[in-house]
Amino acid sequence: VLMHALAHEGVHVLHASAVLGDDGVLAFTADSGTGKSTMAAASTNGWTRVADDLLAVGRASDDTIVARPHLPQPKLDAASQYPVDAPPAVPL
């Protein structure tokens, strides 16, 4: 129900893990069990993990696709969640 409601607001959720670097978010999308979470967890040199299984994306005002990493991540502990005061949209 949540995914359907988000889609009506122009936010779509990808089955992906993602990391945040200086230039934006890098998303790892693939079938279950193929190593998305492992790849994101291993990307620690200059990258911050922002999604594990659920990555919200949408369009910015200039029509580019952006990540919206504020969606709570059930697989990440509280310290690993995207900060509440961080930007709501990040280049993808």
Side-chain angles (χ1 to χ4, degrees):
V1 173
L2 173 62
M3 305 307 174
H4 187 71
L6 287 170
H8 278 282
E9 296 299 317
V11 177
H12 302 278
V13 180
L14 302 177
H15 179 219
S17 289
V19 291
L20 175 65
D22 292 337
D23 295 329
V25 169
L26 175 62
F28 303 104
T29 61
D31 291 334
S32 294
T34 57
K36 296 179 302 296
S37 297
T38 303
M39 182 69 85
S43 303
T44 58
N45 191 13
W47 297 86
T48 303
R49 203 163 156 193
V50 293
D52 190 357
D53 261 359
L54 304 170
L55 178 63
V57 298
R59 291 196 183 270
S61 58
D62 65 357
D63 220 26
T64 59
I65 306 272
V66 293
R68 300 190 181 278
H70 279 289
L71 185 68
Q73 299 295 311
K75 290 187 175 182
L76 297 180
D77 60 29
S80 300
Q81 296 291 325
Y82 189 68
V84 176
D85 57 348
V90 183
L92 183 62

